[in-house]
Amino acid sequence: MAHAHTEPPAPVALRVKAIESLLVEKGLVDPAALDELVDLFENRLGPRNGARVVARAWTDPAYRQRLLADGTSAIAELGFSGAQGEHMIVLENTDRVHNVVVCTLCSCYPWPVLGLPPVWYKSAPYRARVVMEPRAVLAEFGLEVPDEVEVRVWDSNAELRYLVLPQRPPGTEHLSEAELAELVTRDSMIGTGQPRRPGQAAGAEGPA
Ligand code: FE
Protein backbone atom coordinates (compact mmCIF):
# COMPACT_ATOMS: atom_id res chain seq x y z
CA MET A 1 0.00 0.00 0.00
CA ALA A 2 1.48 3.33 -1.04
CA HIS A 3 1.72 6.00 1.59
CA ALA A 4 0.53 9.22 0.01
CA HIS A 5 2.41 11.50 2.40
CA THR A 6 -0.79 12.62 4.03
CA GLU A 7 -2.52 12.03 7.31
CA PRO A 8 -4.61 8.84 7.33
CA PRO A 9 -7.89 9.55 5.55
CA ALA A 10 -10.37 10.99 8.00
CA PRO A 11 -12.92 8.17 7.47
CA VAL A 12 -10.34 5.58 8.51
CA ALA A 13 -9.35 7.55 11.61
CA LEU A 14 -13.00 7.98 12.49
CA ARG A 15 -13.69 4.29 12.07
CA VAL A 16 -10.75 3.39 14.29
CA LYS A 17 -11.97 5.81 16.93
CA ALA A 18 -15.50 4.42 16.65
CA ILE A 19 -14.27 0.84 17.06
CA GLU A 20 -12.12 1.84 20.02
CA SER A 21 -15.08 3.61 21.68
CA LEU A 22 -17.28 0.59 21.14
CA LEU A 23 -14.72 -1.84 22.56
CA VAL A 24 -14.21 0.35 25.61
CA GLU A 25 -17.94 0.81 26.06
CA LYS A 26 -18.56 -2.94 25.88
CA GLY A 27 -15.84 -3.45 28.43
CA LEU A 28 -13.79 -5.48 25.94
CA VAL A 29 -10.68 -3.34 26.20
CA ASP A 30 -9.26 -1.12 28.86
CA PRO A 31 -8.25 2.32 27.52
CA ALA A 32 -5.17 2.19 29.74
CA ALA A 33 -4.19 -1.07 28.07
CA LEU A 34 -4.51 0.58 24.66
CA ASP A 35 -2.29 3.44 25.78
CA GLU A 36 0.16 0.87 27.08
CA LEU A 37 0.16 -0.86 23.71
CA VAL A 38 0.84 2.39 21.86
CA ASP A 39 3.62 3.22 24.31
CA LEU A 40 5.11 -0.21 23.71
CA PHE A 41 5.38 0.33 19.96
CA GLU A 42 6.32 3.99 20.22
CA ASN A 43 8.95 3.88 22.91
CA ARG A 44 10.07 0.39 23.78
CA LEU A 45 9.52 -2.31 21.18
CA GLY A 46 9.64 -0.39 17.90
CA PRO A 47 13.00 1.36 18.25
CA ARG A 48 14.79 -1.81 19.39
CA ASN A 49 14.94 -2.97 15.77
CA GLY A 50 16.75 0.18 14.73
CA ALA A 51 19.05 -0.18 17.73
CA ARG A 52 20.12 -3.60 16.47
CA VAL A 53 20.90 -2.13 13.05
CA VAL A 54 23.01 0.61 14.63
CA ALA A 55 24.87 -1.78 16.92
CA ARG A 56 25.65 -4.07 13.98
CA ALA A 57 27.01 -1.11 12.01
CA TRP A 58 29.19 -0.10 14.97
CA THR A 59 30.75 -3.55 15.22
CA ASP A 60 30.88 -4.74 11.60
CA PRO A 61 32.58 -2.34 9.14
CA ALA A 62 31.43 -4.31 6.09
CA TYR A 63 27.84 -4.14 7.31
CA ARG A 64 28.22 -0.42 7.91
CA GLN A 65 29.34 0.04 4.30
CA ARG A 66 26.38 -1.92 3.01
CA LEU A 67 24.03 0.02 5.27
CA LEU A 68 25.22 3.38 4.01
CA ALA A 69 25.23 2.22 0.39
CA ASP A 70 21.78 0.59 0.43
CA GLY A 71 19.89 1.06 3.66
CA THR A 72 16.82 -0.89 2.64
CA SER A 73 18.59 -4.14 1.82
CA ALA A 74 21.10 -3.95 4.68
CA ILE A 75 18.26 -3.40 7.16
CA ALA A 76 16.36 -6.30 5.58
CA GLU A 77 19.42 -8.52 6.24
CA LEU A 78 18.48 -8.29 9.93
CA GLY A 79 14.89 -9.15 9.15
CA PHE A 80 13.40 -5.67 9.28
CA SER A 81 11.34 -4.63 6.28
CA GLY A 82 7.82 -3.85 5.24
CA ALA A 83 5.36 -0.99 5.16
CA GLN A 84 6.80 2.48 5.64
CA GLY A 85 10.31 1.13 5.26
CA GLU A 86 10.45 0.21 1.60
CA HIS A 87 13.04 2.87 0.73
CA MET A 88 15.44 3.51 3.58
CA ILE A 89 18.36 5.91 3.59
CA VAL A 90 20.83 5.77 6.46
CA LEU A 91 22.48 9.05 7.45
CA GLU A 92 25.84 8.79 9.18
CA ASN A 93 26.70 11.23 11.95
CA THR A 94 30.36 12.22 12.07
CA ASP A 95 32.57 14.69 13.91
CA ARG A 96 31.58 17.26 11.28
CA VAL A 97 27.94 16.47 10.49
CA HIS A 98 24.89 15.88 12.66
CA ASN A 99 21.75 14.66 10.88
CA VAL A 100 18.19 15.16 12.05
CA VAL A 101 15.00 13.85 10.49
CA VAL A 102 11.57 15.41 10.13
CA CYS A 103 8.48 15.05 7.97
CA THR A 104 7.44 18.63 7.30
CA LEU A 105 4.13 17.67 5.66
CA CYS A 106 2.83 15.03 8.03
CA SER A 107 4.44 12.23 10.00
CA CYS A 108 6.33 9.90 7.62
CA TYR A 109 8.49 7.65 9.79
CA PRO A 110 10.38 4.37 9.27
CA TRP A 111 8.07 1.92 11.01
CA PRO A 112 10.13 -1.30 10.59
CA VAL A 113 13.11 0.16 12.47
CA LEU A 114 11.56 2.73 14.82
CA GLY A 115 7.97 1.65 15.40
CA LEU A 116 5.35 4.38 15.72
CA PRO A 117 6.34 8.06 15.69
CA PRO A 118 6.30 9.88 19.02
CA VAL A 119 3.72 12.64 19.49
CA TRP A 120 6.26 15.45 19.24
CA TYR A 121 7.49 14.15 15.86
CA LYS A 122 3.97 14.60 14.49
CA SER A 123 3.49 18.02 16.08
CA ALA A 124 3.28 21.15 13.95
CA PRO A 125 5.88 23.07 15.98
CA TYR A 126 8.57 20.39 15.56
CA ARG A 127 7.85 19.99 11.85
CA ALA A 128 8.07 23.71 11.19
CA ARG A 129 10.79 24.78 13.58
CA VAL A 130 13.38 22.04 13.13
CA VAL A 131 13.86 23.23 9.55
CA MET A 132 14.17 26.92 10.43
CA GLU A 133 16.08 26.73 13.69
CA PRO A 134 17.38 23.19 14.13
CA ARG A 135 19.96 24.05 16.78
CA ALA A 136 17.37 25.74 18.98
CA VAL A 137 15.03 22.77 18.64
CA LEU A 138 17.81 20.28 19.39
CA ALA A 139 18.76 22.30 22.47
CA GLU A 140 15.21 21.78 23.74
CA PHE A 141 15.91 18.04 23.53
CA GLY A 142 19.01 18.64 25.60
CA LEU A 143 21.29 18.24 22.61
CA GLU A 144 23.83 21.00 22.12
CA VAL A 145 25.53 20.66 18.74
CA PRO A 146 28.92 22.41 18.66
CA ASP A 147 29.19 25.33 16.20
CA GLU A 148 31.79 23.51 14.12
CA VAL A 149 29.39 20.63 13.47
CA GLU A 150 27.07 21.14 10.52
CA VAL A 151 23.41 20.28 11.21
CA ARG A 152 21.62 18.70 8.25
CA VAL A 153 17.84 18.39 8.31
CA TRP A 154 16.24 15.69 6.16
CA ASP A 155 12.61 15.80 5.13
CA SER A 156 10.98 12.37 4.95
CA ASN A 157 8.36 11.71 2.35
CA ALA A 158 6.33 8.98 0.74
CA GLU A 159 9.37 7.74 -1.19
CA LEU A 160 12.13 7.93 1.39
CA ARG A 161 12.46 7.23 5.07
CA TYR A 162 15.59 8.03 7.02
CA LEU A 163 17.46 6.40 9.88
CA VAL A 164 20.27 8.28 11.59
CA LEU A 165 23.39 6.24 12.35
CA PRO A 166 24.66 7.95 15.50
CA GLN A 167 28.31 7.94 16.51
CA ARG A 168 29.43 5.12 18.77
CA PRO A 169 29.92 6.54 22.25
CA PRO A 170 33.47 6.65 23.61
CA GLY A 171 34.39 4.08 26.22
CA THR A 172 32.41 1.30 24.60
CA GLU A 173 35.26 -0.66 23.03
CA HIS A 174 34.71 -3.58 25.43
CA LEU A 175 30.97 -3.89 24.87
CA SER A 176 29.27 -6.63 22.86
CA GLU A 177 26.91 -5.90 20.02
CA ALA A 178 23.91 -6.66 22.25
CA GLU A 179 25.25 -4.38 24.98
CA LEU A 180 25.83 -1.62 22.43
CA ALA A 181 22.26 -1.94 21.18
CA GLU A 182 21.05 -1.16 24.71
CA LEU A 183 22.74 2.25 24.45
CA VAL A 184 20.98 3.22 21.22
CA THR A 185 18.02 5.45 21.97
CA ARG A 186 15.09 6.15 19.70
CA ASP A 187 15.92 9.86 19.62
CA SER A 188 19.52 9.13 18.60
CA MET A 189 18.14 7.46 15.46
CA ILE A 190 15.95 10.48 14.64
CA GLY A 191 18.81 12.86 15.37
CA THR A 192 17.21 14.61 18.34
CA GLY A 193 19.42 12.83 20.84
CA GLN A 194 22.65 10.94 21.34
CA PRO A 195 23.16 7.32 22.37
CA ARG A 196 23.61 6.77 26.08
CA ARG A 197 27.07 6.44 27.56
CA PRO A 198 27.90 3.20 29.42
CA GLY A 199 26.48 3.43 32.92
CA GLN A 200 24.16 6.28 31.99
CA ALA A 201 20.63 5.41 33.06
CA ALA A 202 17.86 5.21 30.50
CA GLY A 203 15.91 8.42 30.82
CA ALA A 204 12.85 9.90 29.21
CA GLU A 205 13.30 10.88 25.59
CA GLY A 206 11.75 13.66 23.58
CA PRO A 207 11.92 17.40 24.25
CA ALA A 208 12.34 18.61 27.81
FE1 FE B 1 4.81 12.46 5.68
Side-chain angles (χ1 to χ4, degrees):
M1 184 182 70
H3 174 62
H5 198 70
T6 56
E7 298 289 355
V12 172
L14 287 174
R15 286 178 64 177
V16 169
K17 203 68 204 164
I19 291 168
E20 181 186 333
S21 301
L22 194 62
L23 292 173
V24 169
E25 194 180 300
K26 297 282 183 193
L28 293 173
V29 299
D30 172 3
L34 277 184
D35 290 346
E36 174 70 15
L37 201 60
V38 170
D39 177 63
L40 179 68
F41 282 96
E42 184 180 312
N43 296 312
R44 291 179 277 141
L45 200 59
R48 299 334 300 160
N49 291 352
R52 286 184 50 200
V53 171
V54 169
R56 175 66 56 87
W58 284 347
T59 53
D60 180 342
Y63 181 77
R64 179 197 195 92
Q65 289 304 317
R66 292 200 298 283
L67 186 66
L68 295 173
D70 182 347
T72 312
S73 66
I75 289 168
E77 282 180 40
L78 300 192
F80 311 131
S81 60
Q84 314 300 322
E86 293 94 339
H87 303 286
M88 291 294 309
I89 294 198
V90 177
L91 309 164
E92 183 182 35
N93 284 351
T94 68
D95 289 339
R96 309 187 96 96
V97 175
H98 180 86
N99 298 287
V100 59
V101 179
V102 64
C103 175
T104 56
L105 285 187
C106 46
S107 56
C108 295
Y109 195 69
W111 295 1
V113 279
L114 292 186
L116 296 174
V119 171
W120 56 259
Y121 183 87
K122 298 183 278 188
S123 74
Y126 175 78
R127 287 156 42 201
R129 290 183 56 230
V130 77
V131 176
M132 295 188 299
E133 43 175 354
R135 287 173 192 274
V137 170
L138 295 180
E140 291 165 15
F141 281 80
L143 180 59
E144 302 282 350
V145 180
D147 287 343
E148 64 272 21
V149 177
E150 179 193 348
V151 176
R152 291 185 189 159
V153 181
W154 299 79
D155 194 1
S156 311
N157 59 50
E159 301 302 320
L160 298 173
R161 304 299 163 91
Y162 299 103
L163 180 74
V164 174
L165 175 57
Q167 288 185 285
R168 181 172 172 163
T172 58
E173 296 75 13
H174 60 293
L175 296 185
S176 69
E177 189 178 323
E179 289 168 331
L180 287 168
E182 291 299 314
L183 301 177
V184 181
T185 61
R186 176 197 65 204
D187 285 8
S188 73
M189 295 181 281
I190 303 175
T192 53
Q194 296 285 18
R196 286 197 297 276
R197 302 292 181 94
Q200 186 182 352
E205 297 186 62

